């Protein structure tokens, strides 16, 4: 690589194009010839020399010109600089700077947001004053014939402009001019490239909006010259972005002066104030994106700028958008597609909003409590939801809820409490940041629909000195009080919405709802505590280590004006006096205490109720007598008094105060059911401690060795005060480390997992069969089980192991699967696998006869047989295809209505060639009956002057056909 003999330095702030032109002049070469000698890319435009040269070209150029490495980096503009759609292909200039620098051009003059010279306080020129074209758009020509700083645009020497740009008229700006201040801010920004790129990129996207938003009042004080240039600005057209006319220096300056106060600032309140004033000029209600900005420009704004726009438009947007974008909170943002936050949040949200937050957020009037709790819980899922579809949000928690999200929010806003929206967003953000100690999704899945049995309810009531309620009868499947106890426990544990028709314990009527609302206040403190303890026991039985109830902290509403008070902000003694002592309605208590009925209802659950005294004839009195009999009439007592003492049971009953029939029943129970306990299983206590504590053996292994049950060993360890390890597979010996010399895929599948060796063994056998169905038949398992096991195997190893079978193509192992089979075939691995298989495993490898039979069956295509008959529906079963399913779904909506084929075609959109054969088929199978159109109707619909045409055939769905259609549609829809 040759080095140039004549060199010259790069001036501070000079662009690479200017330095190359000056260096070519120094070496006596024209610009184009000099670029050719240097081997630089040929281009008729000048700007690529400062924006598109690769780093390797700059390094070679530094070597050839004797410059230190990296010196030219400051003479070019990064390729990622946000030039924007109005690309600056021309170079602006200050005539006085150009004259002082002897025709050397500054790099910043190429930037679209450099529009003023702060040194000479003047507006930069956009075009040559001689020819009116953009300066340095094309490579300077004839550089040896014209001095530096001359416009050399022209195809031939005779047509060259030749205007002296250094003598162009200066466009002065007064000291303190807004455009000079804006240029100072841009220059300061450019000193920090990362911040500059973000701010200027946002400025590019805001430019079209600002060009329509800025009005004459904004530029009134900028002088006539600036106003004239602003009025000549090119307006937005449908021209492609790469051919849009560039903006002049004055236009860019005005836009930058307007935008930088809300783009280049760390004070969000000032930025939002500025944006609010700009948006208020043209925005229409319910708009998220400012009017005049397209969706593509909006999506390319930085998150910080989008947040400021959302804050500024908070009062303009619709209620749902305000919650979805969290525009009233400091964490306003545009949801990203695929954002998992809303989907992950559903685990932490109950189906009905927490009681404390219900009291705080619910409007005082115009909203039913159950509806509000369900809608408000769904609204907590709305922030950061990527796709806004109100019904799609409510369906996640309560498909039964109407599409009332907008109405709920509007009523909250009309009640004079817009901070309800902020509180809902704060709740969602708290759950995103901190989660919840309760997994409601898991509870809804695991908690049984009947969390307390009738016997448990009776025992609980008797132990707390209360009555269980009405007895079950032949007419009622559940006693009302027992049913409400189940509802109370289920809602306490899962946060369920009991108005959901899918819920087994749904509130079926207004009176049913009233009785349930009256149930919690009727509980005594002991009874309520016992129900809560029963709920905690249910959680422990399901291995759920969570608190019974939880609510987001009230700090989420700090500083907010909400319609309701804190749940505890009520005088319980006053509530007790009004509702219990004076027997007045809870609504009167709400009016007197200046709160809501919902608040009073929840408060009544905390008011203690005195237990009632019940007589001996009540069920509670009977239970107490039975408990007394168990305590007094012991076996020893009866042996001494009844057998040895020869006393009559009536006499014993009179002495003990126990009714004779109870004493007789208890004595009969003791006499005919003598309970003898088994002899404890012999276990050496020292040996048991050593095996469990020292050798870390599981209770299952110890029980297998002793020939007893696992629970027997656990009870003996508890009797010895030995702390048991947590239950689960991790205490089994199969979960320990295996030989590290085994192949990695074998270790990945077997080490630290349960039944890993069994999955490997089944995979080894299954790959000899043509399909998973034939392999499952041999292994005496289900194909779905093999699919699940092999998916787990592929996930553990980290690769696909076999290609699934298709008709005519048997399953085949992949290269990784064949490698795994080779490893499994080695003797050492076979021995380990055999030793690790379950003791009851009896699936031997298939012989050749079995494999040949399986492959023969696989190659034979079997025709489907006739459909399986219905069990209790007296019609012929037909094969249901997708068009048949569409037809049946239409028919069951009109079970007793006559119809003809054209009506069905119009409703379903099915082809006539499909509908009419299907109707005949259903009639033959007994699903439909038909009749021809009568003469009167046939003639009345005739066109005047023409015949009546073909008679219509009317069909009617039979009762059995309706049952069959319901059965098939429900089965197919579920599948």
């Amino acid at each position: 690589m040759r080095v140039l003999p004549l060199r010259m330095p790069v001036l501070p702030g000079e662009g690479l194009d200017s330095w190359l032109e000056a260096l070519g002049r120094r070496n006596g070469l024209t610009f184009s010839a000099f670029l050719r000698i240097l081997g630089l890319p040929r281009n008729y435009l000048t700007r690529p020399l400062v924006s598109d040269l690769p780093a390797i070209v700059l390094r070679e150029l530094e070597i050839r010109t004797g410059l230190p490495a990296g010196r030219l980096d400051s003479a070019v503009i990064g390729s990622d600089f946000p030039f924007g759609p109005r690309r600056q292909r021309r170079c602006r200039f200050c005539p006085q700077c150009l004259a002082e620098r002897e025709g050397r051009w500054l790099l910043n003059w190429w930037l679209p947001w450099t529009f003023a010279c702060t040194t000479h306080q003047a507006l930069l020129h956009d075009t040559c004053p001689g020819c009116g074209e953009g300066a340095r758009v094309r490579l300077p020509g004839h550089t040896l014939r014209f001095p530096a700083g001359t416009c050399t645009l022209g195809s031939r020497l005779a047509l060259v402009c030749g205007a002296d740009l250094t003598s162009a008229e200066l466009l002065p700006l007064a000291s303190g001019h807004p455009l000079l201040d804006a240029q100072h801010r841009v220059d300061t920004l450019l000193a920090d490239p990362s911040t500059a790129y973000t701010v200027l990129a946002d400025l590019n996207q805001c430019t079209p909006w600002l060009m329509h938003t800025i009005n004459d009042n904004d530029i009134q004080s900028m002088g006539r010259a600036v106003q004239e240039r602003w009025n000549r600005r090119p307006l937005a057209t449908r021209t492609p972005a790469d051919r849009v006319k560039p903006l002049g220096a004055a236009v860019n300056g005005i836009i930058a002066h307007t935008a930088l106060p809300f783009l280049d600032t760390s004070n969000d309140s000032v930025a939002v104030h500025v944006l609010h004033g700009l948006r208020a000029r043209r925005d229409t209600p319910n708009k998220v994106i400012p009017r005049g900005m397209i969706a593509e420009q909006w999506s390319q704004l930085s998150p910080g700028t989008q947040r400021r726009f959302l804050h500024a438009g908070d009062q303009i947007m619709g209620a749902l958008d305000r919650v979805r974008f969290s525009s009233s909170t400091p964490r306003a943002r545009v949801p990203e597609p695929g954002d998992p936050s809303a989907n992950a949040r559903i685990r932490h949200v109950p189906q009905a909003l927490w009681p404390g937050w219900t009291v705080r957020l619910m409007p005082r009037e115009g909203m039913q409590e159950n509806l509000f709790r369900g809608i408000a819980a769904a609204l907590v899922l709305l922030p950061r939801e990527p796709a806004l579809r109100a019904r799609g949000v409510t369906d996640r928690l309560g498909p039964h809820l109407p599409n009332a999200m907008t109405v709920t929010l509007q009523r909250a806003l009309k009640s004079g409490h817009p901070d309800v929206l902020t509180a809902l967003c704060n709740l969602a953000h708290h759950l995103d940041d901190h989660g919840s100690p309760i997994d409601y999704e898991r509870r809804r899945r695991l908690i049984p629909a009947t969390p307390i049995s009738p016997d448990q309810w009776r025992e609980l009531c008797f132990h707390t000195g209360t009555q269980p309620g009405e007895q079950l009868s032949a007419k009622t499947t559940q006693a009302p009080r027992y049913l409400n106890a189940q509802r109370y426990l289920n809602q306490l544990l899962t946060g369920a919405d009991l108005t959901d028709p899918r819920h087994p314990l749904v509130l079926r009527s207004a009176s049913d709802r009233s009785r349930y609302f009256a149930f919690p206040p009727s509980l005594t403190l002991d009874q309520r505590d016992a129900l809560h303890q029963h709920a905690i026991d249910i959680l422990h039985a399901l291995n759920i280590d969570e608190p019974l109830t939880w609510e987001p902290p009230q700090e989420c509403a700090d500083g907010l004006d909400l319609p309701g008070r804190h749940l505890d902000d009520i005088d319980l003694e006053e509530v007790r006096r009004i509702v219990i002592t004076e027997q007045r309605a809870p609504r009167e208590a709400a009016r007197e205490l200046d709160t809501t009925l919902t608040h009073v209802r929840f408060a009544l659950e905390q008011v203690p109720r005195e237990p009632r005294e019940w007589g001996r004839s009540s069920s509670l009195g009977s239970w107490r007598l039975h408990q007394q009999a168990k305590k007094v009439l012991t076996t020893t007592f009866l042996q001494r008094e009844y057998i040895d003492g020869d006393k009559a049971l009536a006499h014993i009953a009179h002495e003990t105060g126990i009714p004779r029939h109870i004493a007789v029943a208890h004595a009969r129970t003791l006499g005919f059911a003598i309970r003898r306990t088994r002899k404890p299983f012999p276990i050496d206590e020292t040996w048991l401690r050593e095996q469990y504590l020292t050798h870390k053996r599981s209770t299952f292994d110890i029980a297998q060795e002793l020939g007893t049950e696992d629970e027997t060993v656990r009870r003996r360890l508890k009797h010895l005060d030995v702390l048991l390890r947590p239950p689960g597979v991790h205490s089994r010996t199969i979960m320990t480390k295996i030989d590290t010399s085994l192949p990695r895929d074998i270790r990945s599948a077997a080490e630290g997992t349960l039944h890993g060796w069994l999955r490997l063994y089944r995979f080894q056998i299954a790959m000899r069969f043509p399909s998973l169905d034939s392999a499952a038949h041999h292994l005496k398992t289900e194909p779905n089980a093999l699919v699940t096991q092999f998916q787990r195997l592929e996930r553990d190893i980290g690769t696909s192991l076999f290609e699934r079978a298709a008709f005519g193509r048997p399953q085949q192992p992949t290269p990784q699967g064949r490698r795994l089979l080779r490893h499994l075939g080695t003797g050492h691995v076979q021995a380990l696998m055999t030793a690790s298989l379950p003791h009851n495993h009896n699936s031997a490898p298939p012989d050749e006869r079995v494999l040949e039979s399986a492959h023969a069956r696989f190659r034979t295509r079997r025709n489907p047989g006739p459909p399986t008959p219905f069990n209790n529906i007296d019609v012929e079963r037909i094969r249901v295809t997708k068009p048949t399913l569409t037809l049946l779904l239409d028919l069951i909506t009109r079970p007793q209505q006559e119809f003809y084929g054209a009506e069905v075609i119009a409703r379903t959109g099915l082809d006539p060639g499909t509908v009419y054969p299907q109707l005949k088929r259903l009639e033959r199978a007994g699903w439909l009956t038909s009749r021809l159109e009568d003469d009167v109707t046939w003639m009345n619909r005739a066109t005047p002057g023409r015949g009546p045409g073909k008679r219509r055939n009317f069909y009617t769905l039979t009762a059995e056909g309706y049952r069959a259609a319901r059965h098939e549609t429900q089965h197919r829809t579920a599948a």
Side-chain angles (χ1 to χ4, degrees), residues 1 39 47 58 67 118 154 162 192 273 318 378 429 475 494 498 527 535 582 605 689-690 701 707 764 775 805 965:
M1 183 181 298
R47 195 180 67 81
L58 297 179
L67 292 176
T118 56
D192 183 4
H273 177 73
H429 297 157
K475 296 182 179 180
T494 66
L498 296 179
Q527 195 175 16
E582 300 179 4
E605 297 183 16
R689 288 179 181 273
E690 179 183 0
D701 287 343
Q764 185 183 29

Side-chain angles (χ1 to χ4, degrees), residues 332-381:
R333 60 173 294 181
V334 176
E336 299 177 0
D339 191 335
S341 301
N343 288 330
R345 196 183 306 137
I346 194 172
R347 296 174 51 247
H348 308 307
V349 180
Q351 199 178 15
L353 193 68
W354 301 279
W357 285 98
T358 301
V359 172
R360 296 216 64 187
L361 300 180
M362 184 173 172
R364 285 177 173 262
E365 297 178 354
M367 182 63 65
Q368 184 182 353
E369 179 188 320
N370 285 334
L371 177 61
F372 177 80
R373 294 187 71 182
I375 293 293
L379 283 169
V380 177
L381 303 178

Side-chain angles (χ1 to χ4, degrees), residues 141 152 286 319 331 334 372 385 435 439-440 513-514 557 598 602 650 665 694 743 751 784 842 878:
T152 59
N286 299 323
R331 298 175 59 169
V334 176
F372 177 80
E385 171 63 31
D439 187 344
Y440 292 99
R513 175 175 174 269
S514 299
T598 302
F602 284 127
T694 305
E751 186 176 38
N784 287 342
N842 56 3
I878 65 173

Side-chain angles (χ1 to χ4, degrees), residues 407-422:
V407 175
T408 302
L409 292 178
Q410 287 176 349
R411 288 182 178 175
L413 295 175
K414 289 180 180 178
S415 67
H417 298 280
D419 286 348
V420 169
L421 278 64
T422 307

Side-chain angles (χ1 to χ4, degrees), residues 453-602:
S453 66
D455 292 339
Q456 289 173 328
W457 169 243
R458 287 173 59 85
E459 289 296 319
L460 184 147
C461 292
F462 291 154
H463 278 291
T464 56
T466 55
Q467 287 284 87
E470 301 88 339
Q471 297 292 329
L472 298 179
S473 64
K475 296 182 179 180
T476 59
T477 57
Q478 288 185 329
R481 191 161 179 81
Y482 167 59
L483 174 60
N484 287 329
Q486 292 189 80
R487 289 168 172 167
Y488 177 78
L489 279 175
N490 195 288
Q491 191 171 52
L492 184 71
L493 285 164
T494 66
D497 184 356
L498 296 179
T499 61
D500 188 348
R502 303 172 304 165
H503 201 285
L505 304 174
V506 60
L507 299 172
R508 302 190 180 279
S509 63
S511 60
D512 197 12
R513 175 175 174 269
S514 299
R515 283 193 296 269
Y516 172 65
F517 280 176
F519 173 77
S522 69
L523 298 173
T524 64
L525 286 181
D526 290 342
Q527 195 175 16
R528 186 181 300 117
D529 292 342
L531 281 172
H532 287 197
Q533 185 58 48
H534 181 79
I536 293 172
D537 294 341
I538 292 175
L539 295 179
H540 290 170
L542 295 173
N543 292 325
I544 299 177
D545 185 15
E546 296 175 352
L548 178 59
T549 59
W550 175 85
E551 291 194 9
Q554 292 295 325
E555 288 77 4
C556 295
D558 284 351
L560 301 182
D561 180 20
L562 300 178
R565 310 200 300 255
H566 286 278
L567 181 60
D568 298 332
D569 185 15
I570 192 171
D571 191 339
L572 295 181
E573 288 301 323
E574 284 297 304
V575 174
R576 179 186 180 88
R577 176 184 63 82
I578 298 172
V579 179
I580 298 177
T581 305
E582 300 179 4
Q583 293 293 303
R584 293 159 62 188
R587 191 175 299 278
E588 294 185 29
R591 190 180 304 111
E592 188 169 328
L593 298 176
D594 190 25
T595 186
T596 61
L597 177 61
T598 302
H599 195 182
V600 172
R601 189 176 67 77
F602 284 127

